[in-house]
């Protein structure tokens, strides 16, 4: 099978590429404009197995069409997107153009060139700010009410996929709504955890990434945004999923679409940890004490956001292997330490 991975030099895309290169014989084509993706990551992936790379921005519509036509793509796994929520509020047009418009054109090119499967990287941000979080977490039927342009740009792309598939019976999709993705490549060398790839995104805003940067001495301190939430310790609670587990679901989705209809799935572990718990875990696994300051909460931050991922587990037989907060934190820290 010929598989196109957009944004394959980025954090999540590279971990999916890694698993495809290691565990399948599919021909892999990575397309990335390298605005946030890493050349070093591509070089590391090339040590696993050969693949084709094209540096291209998805806004180059005619060139994207030619890539699909020339390479006879069967499946697209689409990651390329802008992902910083505060930036989406400040610059909404960037998000609607880069995320929704470019995705719409990619879908158009896919159907034109006979692509049968489309796996889309969406987000829990499509749910907005949950008002009645149940103990089972949010399932895929929960109301979608994005509260920022990032979440809305992804939800609009979801709708384009759904409507396109309704009009074209040969075109099927899987939409994955991610919760909080963290950690780095689980790779052991001489029984020592030695990640080969990880999160290289510049100026990252993710809690575990920031905590790992503090523990590795790359940041002087970090902040907790609010301790007055209705949670056990007053700080926000999130569902953290290891990037390798998230990636494995995408591999399963390729086979799933052979005999099943298009569908939407949450990806998370179905349990949450507070900001304070994550920070204490990072300090524990690294044995590093770093400075943490408390400041006021950010607008739009829900108290609790946890996935109900029973659907993907039952329908795809997806079984997480890294469901351990200490392992997630440890792998993130080791990656930061290795990359200097």
């Amino acid at each position: 099978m010929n598989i196109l991975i957009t944004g394959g030099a980025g954090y999540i895309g590279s971990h999916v590429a890694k698993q495809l290169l290691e565990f399948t014989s599919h021909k892999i084509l990575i397309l990335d404009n390298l605005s946030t993706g890493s050349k070093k990551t591509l070089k590391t992936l090339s040590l696993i197995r050969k693949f084709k790379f094209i540096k291209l921005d998805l806004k180059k519509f005619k060139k994207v069409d030619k890539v699909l036509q020339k390479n006879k793509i069967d499946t697209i796994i689409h990651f390329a997107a802008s992902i910083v929520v505060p930036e989406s509020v400040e610059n909404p047009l960037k998000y609607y153009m880069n995320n929704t418009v470019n995705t719409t054109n990619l879908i158009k090119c896919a159907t034109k060139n006979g692509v049968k499967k489309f796996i889309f990287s969406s987000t829990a941000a499509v749910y907005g700010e949950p008002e009645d979080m149940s103990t089972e977490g949010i399932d895929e039927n929960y109301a979608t009410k994005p509260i920022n342009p990032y979440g809305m740009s992804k939800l609009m792309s979801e709708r384009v996929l759904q409507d396109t598939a309704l009009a074209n019976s040969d075109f099927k999709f899987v939409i994955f709504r991610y919760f909080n993705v963290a950690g780095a490549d689980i790779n052991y060398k001489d029984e020592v955890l030695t990640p080969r790839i990880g999160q290289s995104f510049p100026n990252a805003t993710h809690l575990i990434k920031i905590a790992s940067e503090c523990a590795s001495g790359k940041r002087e301190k970090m902040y907790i945004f609010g301790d007055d939430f209705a949670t056990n310790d007053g700080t926000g609670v999130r569902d953290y999923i290891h990037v390798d587990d998230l990636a494995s679901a995408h591999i399963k989705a390729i086979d799933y679409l052979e005999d099943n209809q298009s569908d939407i799935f949450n990806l998370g572990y179905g349990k949450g940890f507070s900001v304070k718990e994550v920070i204490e875990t990072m300090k524990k696994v690294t044995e590093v004490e770093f400075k943490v300051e408390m400041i006021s909460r950010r607008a739009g931050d829900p108290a609790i956001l946890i996935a109900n991922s029973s659907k993907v587990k039952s329908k795809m037989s997806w079984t997480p292997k890294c469901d351990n907060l200490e392992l997630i934190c440890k792998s993130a820290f080791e990656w930061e330490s290795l990359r200097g």
Side-chain angles (χ1 to χ4, degrees):
M1 190 178 293
N2 295 318
I3 299 177
L4 170 66
I5 305 175
T6 71
Y11 175 43
I12 298 172
S14 65
H15 283 77
V16 171
K18 176 196 71 171
Q19 292 190 16
L20 283 168
L21 293 168
E22 278 189 319
F23 304 129
T24 79
S25 58
H26 299 309
K27 293 180 180 178
I28 307 303
L29 168 60
I30 291 177
L31 188 152
D32 201 301
N33 67 4
L34 297 179
S35 59
T36 57
S38 167
K39 289 182 180 179
K40 287 184 179 179
T41 295
L42 292 173
K43 187 175 181 180
T44 301
L45 291 174
S46 70
L47 298 176
I48 299 173
R49 178 161 66 85
K50 286 185 179 181
F51 62 89
K52 189 173 181 179
F53 171 70
I54 297 176
K55 183 180 179 182
L56 181 64
D57 196 301
L58 288 180
K59 68 183 180 183
K60 305 289 186 180
F61 290 176
K62 290 183 180 179
K63 289 185 178 180
V64 170
D65 185 41
K66 286 181 180 178
V67 166
L68 268 63
Q69 185 178 0
K70 182 178 179 181
N71 292 279
K72 296 179 178 161
I73 300 299
D74 304 292
T75 297
I76 293 175
I77 310 179
H78 180 38
F79 298 101
S82 299
I83 61 171
V84 181
V85 171
E87 183 190 43
S88 78
V89 177
E90 297 167 6
N91 190 358
L93 286 177
K94 174 182 177 180
Y95 279 69
Y96 290 120
M97 294 299 292
N98 192 34
N99 293 1
T100 310
V101 174
N102 288 354
T103 297
T104 299
N105 180 68
L106 183 63
I107 294 167
K108 176 186 175 183
C109 293
T111 57
K112 175 184 174 184
N113 290 287
V115 175
K116 303 295 185 184
K117 305 173 186 177
F118 197 106
I119 300 166
F120 180 56
S121 165
S122 192
T123 170
V126 300
Y127 297 118
E129 191 170 0
E131 297 173 0
D132 54 345
M133 172 64 70
S134 69
T135 54
E136 291 82 22
I138 293 173
D139 66 20
E140 293 82 358
N141 295 316
Y142 196 89
T144 50
K145 297 179 181 179
I147 60 173
N148 51 63
Y150 167 63
M152 183 58 77
S153 71
K154 288 289 192 174
L155 184 61
M156 291 169 73
S157 298
E158 288 189 12
R159 187 57 185 263
V160 174
L161 265 176
Q162 291 169 302
D163 288 345
T164 302
L166 282 173
N168 186 340
S169 59
D170 292 328
F171 180 75
K172 295 197 287 187
F173 66 83
V174 162
I175 292 168
F176 284 125
R177 292 172 177 167
Y178 306 163
F179 281 66
N180 286 55
V181 190
D185 169 41
I186 299 299
N187 177 66
Y188 287 92
K189 185 176 181 181
D190 298 327
E191 300 184 0
V192 176
L193 182 58
T194 311
R196 295 163 293 180
I197 57 175
Q199 190 170 3
S200 302
F201 190 85
N203 303 314
T205 57
H206 193 286
L207 173 64
I208 290 178
K209 169 75 170 177
I210 292 170
S212 65
E213 288 177 343
C214 287
S216 60
K218 295 179 180 179
R219 287 181 186 247
E220 281 187 21
K221 60 184 176 182
M222 65 177 295
Y223 300 98
I224 294 176
F225 296 96
D227 62 351
D228 56 349
F229 291 96
T231 60
N232 287 339
D233 62 19
T235 62
V237 172
R238 298 290 182 270
D239 189 337
Y240 297 93
I241 175 172
H242 192 280
V243 64
D244 271 350
D245 278 336
L246 187 96
S248 71
H250 292 71
I251 313 305
K252 282 189 167 290
I254 298 169
D255 291 333
Y256 176 84
L257 285 176
E258 283 292 323
D259 303 310
N260 296 279
Q261 294 304 307
S262 301
D263 214 336
I264 299 173
F265 300 93
N266 286 338
L267 283 178
Y269 288 149
K271 60 186 178 185
F273 294 94
S274 74
V275 174
K276 285 183 178 179
E277 287 176 320
V278 169
I279 292 171
E280 288 308 310
T281 301
M282 184 64 74
K283 289 180 177 181
K284 176 185 174 183
V285 300
T286 63
E287 298 181 346
V288 176
E289 188 67 33
F290 50 86
K291 189 175 181 180
V292 181
E293 291 185 5
M294 187 72 62
I295 56 178
S296 59
R297 68 161 80 178
R298 297 171 294 196
D301 269 356
I304 302 173
L305 196 59
I306 299 173
N308 182 329
S309 54
S310 58
K311 183 178 176 181
V312 69
K313 290 176 180 176
S314 62
K315 283 199 166 188
M316 282 193 195
S317 299
W318 175 70
T319 305
K321 297 180 179 179
C322 308
D323 183 1
N324 181 299
L325 184 61
E326 290 192 6
L327 177 61
I328 294 172
C329 289
K330 178 72 171 173
S331 63
F333 170 74
E334 294 298 344
W335 166 246
E336 287 303 326
S337 301
L338 284 169
R339 64 192 291 254

